Amino acid sequence: MRFAPGTHLLLAVILAACVIIPRSILITRAHSDTLDEEYHLIRGLQFFDRATYGSSRLNDPPLGEALSALPLLIAQVKPDPVTNSVLYNQRHSPDDLLLWVAIWKGLLFLPTIPIVFIWTRACFNTKAAWLATLLLIFDPNFAAHIPLASIDALGAETILIACYFAWLYLRHPSKKRLVYALIATAVALLTKHTAIILPVVIFTYAITIVIHRRLTRSGDGGVKGRIVPVAKFFRHSLLTLLAFPLIFWSLTAFNISKPKLSDEVAPTQKELLSHPLPAGTYIASFANGLAHSRRGHAGYLFGETRMTGWWYYFPVVAAYKIPIPTLLLLAITLLSLFAIRPRFIELSFAIPALAWIVFLMLAKIDIGIRHFLPAYLFLIMLASRVMLTAPRIRAISWSLCILSALHALMYHPDYLSYFNFPRNKPFYAINDSNIDWGQSLKQIRRYLDTHPHPNRSIYLRYFGRPGAPNIPHYLGNRVIVLTDENNPPRTGILIISPFHEAGIWDPSNRYRFLKPAAPLATIGHSMLVYDLAQLRPTRKR
């Protein structure tokens, strides 16, 4: 049975809603808050009312965090006077607040689906649009990050939408499309700093289209193209110069403030930014983010910790975190370039994919596959070109798509800890938010309920902020919390994050004695349980 193009699109959106929203609910019910969620929520609430929520230093643009925090604003959440928490000691439970955020973030992500479907269908065909949509809906890395209050999935979405409207305008210029492109670009830049190269991508789009039109005098598919007349070009350029700053400023709620800068910002920059400025919150976040990028961030790869990262970090992490069938599909995509001549419109996917791959490989902050999501999204769309190949290859591609979805489902609801192949302690290769982001407190509580250890001390070495209220909320006094100041215990039951077993922030690597040991259990595909009494004979004194 054949459907009209609009029906295909409607079915894709309905399917996405039926998967993403319930899945986000189930993930949130199973997990506690991750390390960075309250951090983003507090800063998001500051966007609406600094007098109530304070004015913490921003490292991320204000709009993405503000959008994430809207459910808490509607719930009239106020910071707890003792802990300053906006999740704990509230009128509503943290489970309810995080559930509302997860549902809202799932709804916010849904516009990605029609953009992916429409754009991919215009580039290839309807079957390709379905393949890209299904790969995206069921991908474990997007599944893991969509419901969180952090802004990684939302950042990838806004980059995609900005690129789409920019390409649409440049291919068929009009004032209406220009305004859409300007709004989408401003939203992306104000959501996550990963979008900072977006103007470069759009400029590359423009140069590519101009060269193509001069060489061919017509666009692909028989649609006539022409160079924009000089007068029209200058009118649109003037509109951009006038409208974009106003649009950008309006999306900061016409903020005028003195940028709150970190100590890492250079003194000359501090002097230049020492007065109230339009969009001061964004300027501060950009200056702080730039300083953070220059300094780097402690990252981990194959047992080594660096502040400045590795150029090959994301290719390695992708080899662990992207489903193997999807990787095979990407390999088939490369091979298909020899069988099916690339179309000009495919550059609309290839240019941003390559731009963000290069940008992220050169960056100094290597702490998780989540930063790679913008590039990964365009790679998924490019992979759908396999639907142009022979029927046998198309059948193989559909099979790979199904296998990816099934393998991801095996990790439900622990998509954050997804690995594409069973390995012995893979966290000694990659770590950080690739496996544990502090999300397992509810699962630890369930483990303790079902696996009591009478008359045994239970120690917890958790990946979280010291003094955070989430451990006492979920676990009470059932565990002895270990911190950086504590040496490893010698007896009892130890529940430890793979982050700390690998010793990422511990120069002496005090838990290295656990490396050859097999855990008693693994909680939530991440937290490791050891019976220390069984390890004592092999430990170095």
Side-chain angles (χ1 to χ4, degrees), residues 210-223:
V210 168
I211 293 173
H212 178 260
R213 285 178 173 168
R214 286 195 179 277
L215 291 175
T216 64
R217 297 298 180 184
S218 65
D220 53 42
V223 179

Side-chain angles (χ1 to χ4, degrees), residues 443-454:
Q443 293 167 310
I444 293 172
R445 181 177 62 188
R446 285 194 290 273
Y447 173 82
L448 295 177
D449 290 340
T450 56
H451 298 80
H453 297 279

Side-chain angles (χ1 to χ4, degrees), residues 292-358:
H292 184 195
S293 178
R294 287 173 177 169
R295 175 178 63 87
H297 190 98
Y300 180 91
L301 191 66
F302 293 131
E304 182 184 4
T305 302
R306 284 188 192 175
M307 288 296 295
T308 55
W310 302 260
W311 68 266
Y312 50 87
Y313 176 85
F314 287 106
V316 170
V317 170
Y320 280 77
K321 297 288 289 181
I322 294 177
I324 289 177
T326 303
L327 291 174
L328 292 174
L329 194 56
L330 290 171
I332 294 173
T333 302
L334 285 175
L335 294 176
S336 74
L337 295 175
F338 297 98
I340 306 295
R341 183 179 178 182
R343 303 179 178 188
F344 170 72
I345 194 174
E346 292 182 60
L347 288 175
S348 63
F349 304 153
I351 289 172
L354 182 61
W356 268 283
I357 287 173
V358 172

